[in-house]
Amino acid sequence: MPERILVAEDESIMRMDLKEMLMEAGYEIAGEAGDGERAVELSYRFRPDLIIMDIKMPKMNGIKASRIITRSLQIPILLLTAYSQRELIEQAKDALVTGYLVKPVRESDLIPAVEVALAQAGRIASMQQKMDTVEQKLKDRKVVERAKGLLMKQYDWSEEQAYQYLRKSSMDRQIPIGERAGEILKKQEGKVYQK
Ligand SMILES: [Mg+2]
């Protein structure tokens, strides 16, 4: 599936050029905006894979729009700027912008920048996923440890016996061992409170 790109640029000719270059390279246009407010609105509505955003736009400039977008969406943004706007690029650094392109934008600059931005975003997303998995595993391990301790005490089992019980009963129920351990702990907590 082609990656979807939102183009935010107030000059319609420039916007058309960008769209054409992107489509020729096989990308899909998720939407187009002529001002910053619309760029924010469409980013939340369409969740594009990448946003190409002009800095100088009516209603809201591209840097402010980028700040609002990156506050809650993880979408890479490529800013478009003119040579005279060096100070704006400085401001853009803390707006979590992936990169910028200097106008006039040529195809030989645009497409590699888009590819890099998308690849970078992909790496960040898969790293986040890995971190979430590791965090879940750590949580599971803690719960399993607690449930094991509880079973050992309750039935005078060895650690191995408690673990084997957890493993078997989670397999019987076809649920992850962490979930089974959580059930056991919950049940036990219920009993304690009932006393
Ligand atoms: Mg402009």
Side-chain angles (χ1 to χ4, degrees):
M1 228 165 57
E3 276 120 331
R4 295 158 54 253
I5 302 176
L6 179 80
V7 179
E9 160 66 64
D10 59 326
E11 291 161 55
S12 56
I13 291 175
M14 178 77 192
R15 199 165 66 228
M16 236 158 51
D17 278 352
L18 288 167
K19 273 169 54 187
E20 253 166 44
M21 288 189 268
L22 292 167
M23 286 191 296
E24 251 169 54
Y27 294 109
E28 193 179 300
I29 304 301
E32 47 182 306
D35 64 70
E37 275 179 17
R38 186 101 174 118
V40 172
E41 189 198 323
L42 294 185
S43 299
Y44 279 89
R45 197 195 295 171
F46 296 138
R47 311 279 166 119
D49 298 305
L50 173 77
I51 302 164
I52 295 177
M53 176 102 76
D54 183 29
I55 292 182
K56 291 241 173 169
M57 284 193 290
K59 289 192 189 168
M60 184 188 288
N61 72 47
I63 292 175
K64 191 162 178 217
S66 298
R67 276 213 187 92
I68 294 173
I69 292 164
T70 52
R71 215 180 276 157
S72 41
L73 295 179
Q74 284 187 336
I75 300 174
I77 299 176
L78 279 176
L79 282 181
L80 296 179
T81 179
Y83 259 125
S84 57
Q85 299 165 351
R86 284 249 152 241
E87 77 285 359
L88 290 174
I89 293 165
E90 284 303 308
Q91 281 180 40
K93 279 183 184 157
D94 62 306
L96 288 170
V97 164
T98 309
Y100 67 89
L101 285 161
V102 176
K103 288 188 200 181
V105 180
R106 287 171 310 187
E107 194 171 347
S108 55
D109 294 327
L110 176 70
I111 303 307
V114 165
E115 278 169 8
V116 168
L118 285 168
Q120 229 173 39
R123 271 200 300 275
I124 291 170
S126 80
M127 206 167 11
Q128 185 64 50
Q129 214 169 26
K130 265 182 214 151
M131 268 156 55
D132 290 348
T133 309
V134 168
E135 205 176 319
Q136 187 57 47
K137 272 189 188 155
L138 281 173
K139 260 189 213 156
D140 282 353
R141 194 181 297 168
K142 266 187 203 158
V143 175
V144 169
E145 284 304 310
R146 275 180 54 211
K148 254 184 357 193
L150 196 134
L151 290 168
M152 285 159 71
K153 219 157 110 188
Q154 209 166 20
Y155 300 108
D156 203 20
W157 282 345
S158 68
E159 189 176 348
E160 183 58 24
Q161 280 174 314
Y163 179 72
Q164 289 306 333
Y165 170 80
L166 273 174
R167 209 173 74 102
K168 188 171 183 318
S169 69
S170 65
M171 272 162 54
D172 288 346
R173 281 162 217 246
Q174 296 184 321
I175 56 172
I177 192 163
E179 197 179 321
R180 179 69 189 122
E183 280 179 5
I184 288 169
L185 288 175
K186 220 174 194 176
K187 218 162 140 192
Q188 187 57 31
E189 273 158 19
K191 271 184 201 157
V192 172
Y193 292 129
Q194 276 165 22
K195 269 181 192 170

